[in-house]
Amino acid sequence: MIEMHDIWKTYPDGTVALQDINVVIDRNEFVYVVGPSGAGKSTFMKLIYREEVPTKGQLSVNGFNIGKLKHRKIPYVRRNIGVIFQDYRLLPKLSIYENVAFAMEVIEAPRRSIKRRTMEVLDLVGLKHKAQSLPAQLSGGEQQRVAIARAIVNNPAVIVADEPTGNLDPETSWGIMKLLEEINFRGTTIVMATHNREIVNSLRKRVIAIERGTIVRDQQRGDYGYDI
Ligand code: ADP
Ligand code: ADP
């Protein structure tokens, strides 16, 4: 599903964020990406959803060679990847319904399917009754559930989640994890960067640890491995 071969990422100011990354993530895996701040986790995630392009090496996601992608092909890749951020990033002036439907409008999904599918995913995350609310009227956990609904509405092959529980209290975080596990169970590959030690050590999955731009550990059913 995701293959990186000899991937390097150097930012324009000369910062080497990733060096010599080699990794294969299979269809339907659930992977945690851990490591200290500044290690390169976000950069790793950004390469997958093509927010950044590798300086060197080969990267493919769902069969697309991301590094060499023609500009007109980018939307096809993006629809196959759902992204979830720590700070939700909902559009504040749009209703919950519109926030989710917008993701389908962008890829020019048929009008009739937009309404049906949007309500279906809002139901899945337990927020059908909030469809007409604005993001500011929802709690943090609810806003993250909307972000998850938006991420899955186009049935992506991969979900990339960058610290999805970073702003949430422990109880709410468990709810978010249950939802991500459910989505993974239904067949979506999930790559999740996290500092949440309790979650990584309780819901055991593959752990990729990145330090100073390199993968220092890659363990099935791994643990968090840091004290903080
Ligand atoms: P993490 O997510 O693990 O905190 P990042 O991937 O954000 O790490 O950052 C890795 C390194 O790259 C850090 O040294 C960071 O300062 C640097 N970096 C991140 N984004 C940029 C950028 N746009 N320009 C220059 N340096 C960056
Ligand atoms: P949390 O304990 O996660 O911070 P909140 O106390 O913010 O949750 O919200 C609890 C409930 O109240 C949620 O169902 C949320 O949607 C609702 N709520 C919070 N703020 C508003 C608001 N300004 N208008 C309408 N409903 C709200």
Side-chain angles (χ1 to χ4, degrees):
M1 180 54 59
I2 300 169
E3 289 196 34
M4 296 192 188
H5 294 293
D6 305 323
I7 287 286
W8 288 69
K9 176 64 188 179
T10 306
Y11 284 109
D13 68 355
T15 305
V16 181
L18 292 174
Q19 41 187 317
D20 202 21
I21 299 287
N22 287 282
V23 73
V24 175
I25 295 172
D26 290 327
R27 186 173 290 276
N28 222 8
E29 277 197 273
F30 194 134
V31 181
Y32 295 123
V33 178
V34 305
S37 283
K41 302 182 295 299
S42 289
T43 302
F44 181 85
M45 314 291 275
K46 283 176 181 169
L47 292 179
I48 298 171
Y49 62 88
R50 212 190 182 277
E51 175 74 19
E52 295 287 349
V53 288
T55 313
K56 190 168 163 291
Q58 281 144 30
L59 167 58
S60 72
V61 177
N62 200 21
F64 287 95
N65 184 339
I66 294 260
K68 296 212 170 69
L69 209 62
K70 299 266 194 304
H71 263 276
R72 63 188 165 80
K73 287 266 177 69
I74 292 175
Y76 293 95
V77 173
R78 291 255 167 90
R79 91 183 272 177
N80 269 300
I81 303 170
V83 189
I84 301 166
F85 302 98
Q86 177 171 358
D87 55 0
Y88 328 127
R89 301 200 191 174
L90 303 178
L91 297 166
K93 291 182 176 161
L94 298 187
S95 70
I96 297 315
Y97 175 87
E98 290 163 341
N99 263 278
V100 177
F102 185 65
M104 291 188 79
E105 285 158 11
V106 168
I107 65 156
E108 296 174 1
R111 266 189 103 70
R112 272 187 320 137
S113 69
I114 293 180
K115 182 156 191 230
R116 183 184 48 75
R117 176 65 181 157
T118 297
M119 290 315 285
E120 182 179 287
V121 291
L122 283 176
D123 195 24
L124 184 75
V125 302
L127 287 174
K128 218 161 103 177
H129 61 295
K130 299 271 179 173
Q132 299 313 323
S133 301
L134 289 170
Q137 294 173 312
L138 269 55
S139 70
E142 290 172 326
Q143 289 188 54
Q144 193 60 298
R145 275 148 62 199
V146 175
I148 292 173
R150 179 182 59 185
I152 62 174
V153 75
N154 292 324
N155 270 315
V158 180
I159 296 253
V160 175
D162 200 347
E163 301 212 35
T165 64
N167 284 349
L168 302 175
D169 58 56
E171 201 182 326
T172 309
S173 299
W174 288 112
I176 293 298
M177 289 310 296
K178 282 276 154 273
L179 206 45
L180 291 176
E181 285 199 308
E182 169 74 18
I183 291 162
N184 176 243
F185 181 73
R186 292 178 182 218
T188 306
T189 306
I190 299 191
V191 184
M192 169 177 157
T194 185
H195 282 114
N196 197 317
R197 176 171 205 276
E198 287 68 36
I199 284 174
V200 175
N201 288 345
S202 304
L203 304 175
R204 292 281 173 137
K205 299 173 190 309
R206 179 175 175 187
V207 174
I208 294 176
I210 300 179
E211 291 179 20
R212 283 167 266 98
T214 59
I215 293 177
V216 294
R217 177 163 58 102
D218 185 348
Q219 246 182 332
Q220 296 297 331
R221 297 186 59 78
D223 63 358
Y224 184 68
Y226 298 97
D227 290 335
I228 44 137

